[in-house]
Amino acid sequence: MRSEPRDTHTSPVEVGTVAKAGFWLLIDDRELYLPFDWFPWFRNAAIDALSTIERPSPNHLYWPKLDVDVAVAFIEYPTVNDREMPCSKAAHRVLALAGDEAQRLGSPYVGTEHVVLALTHQTSGTLGTALRTLGIDGERVCAWLETIAHPGTATPHSRRLSYTSTMKSVFRLAKRRAQALGAREISAEHLLVGVLEAK
């Protein structure tokens, strides 16, 4: 389910070779590989569904026929997550939206503040529900977060984003929490716990 309308105003993305273990995307001036072990929803997808891709922002890919969001930075920087455990669709959506927040604020990196902003905008998600239950205004939380998320100098349509070292810790902590709970994938809730536990 989408949280808001998507504008596709950036360059197109094409599917290249589809192999048994994954597929290649042709995006801007590079090729990116998406292994099915990391992105399991694509494994049995029809070619039409796999190749119908929207690009709401430079760092955000969306497959409407599969309702899957993926952050380009997540594909480009495999060291942020050892990939032994895949992320859920909801976690990928949060990471893609966090990239949107980073780009909107002119930041060349995705940090924990951008993840929290993305989680806060998910009014139907766990954090949105928790905020409403506690009587906390999500819009006020967003406004406060934006005052501490120092605007950067990157243009809003800057194509390359990376993750902060703290975000790398968030991925490790989220994975550890997911494993401790016997989960098969890292959820958006595990990402939130990772953000809360990261130092």
Side-chain angles (χ1 to χ4, degrees):
M1 182 168 68
R2 296 191 215 180
S3 60
E4 56 190 55
R6 298 171 189 265
D7 295 323
T8 50
H9 56 274
T10 54
S11 64
V13 180
E14 296 177 20
V15 173
T17 303
V18 179
K20 185 176 181 180
F23 67 102
W24 291 89
L25 284 182
L26 308 174
I27 179 169
D28 300 328
D29 59 348
R30 62 207 189 275
E31 290 183 311
L32 300 176
Y33 181 63
L34 287 82
F36 294 136
D37 286 347
W38 301 345
F39 304 96
W41 327 280
F42 299 127
R43 187 183 306 274
N44 298 315
I47 293 296
D48 178 56
L50 197 64
S51 59
T52 303
I53 307 168
E54 296 175 5
R55 195 172 181 190
S57 72
N59 186 62
H60 187 162
L61 305 177
Y62 179 66
W63 282 261
K65 294 183 178 181
L66 302 169
D67 193 28
V68 171
D69 297 81
V70 176
V72 174
F74 190 87
I75 306 166
E76 284 189 302
Y77 298 99
T79 56
V80 298
N81 182 1
D82 61 20
R83 309 297 172 93
E84 290 176 8
M85 180 179 285
C87 289
S88 69
K89 278 186 178 184
H92 275 291
R93 179 162 290 142
V94 166
L95 293 171
L97 292 173
D100 292 350
E101 291 294 337
Q103 288 178 315
R104 182 178 66 81
L105 294 170
S107 174
Y109 63 84
V110 179
T112 54
E113 65 275 22
H114 305 119
V115 172
V116 174
L117 279 168
L119 284 163
T120 305
H121 286 307
Q122 296 292 297
T123 55
S124 61
T126 302
L127 185 58
T129 302
L131 291 174
R132 283 192 308 279
T133 301
L134 295 171
I136 298 170
D137 182 353
E139 292 303 316
R140 287 182 65 193
V141 171
C142 287
W144 177 76
L145 284 169
E146 288 181 13
T147 64
I148 62 169
H150 305 291
T153 57
T155 65
H157 299 292
S158 175
R159 298 238 179 247
R160 299 285 177 104
L161 287 177
S162 60
Y163 290 101
T164 63
S165 57
T166 305
M167 273 303 298
K168 294 172 186 176
S169 296
V170 167
F171 284 115
R172 285 192 299 275
L173 292 164
K175 177 188 161 192
R176 192 175 305 149
R177 181 54 58 115
Q179 288 174 326
L181 295 171
R184 293 185 175 188
E185 59 187 9
I186 297 167
S187 70
E189 292 80 9
H190 298 137
L191 286 176
L192 175 58
V193 170
V195 167
L196 294 173
E197 292 182 349
K199 298 184 181 188

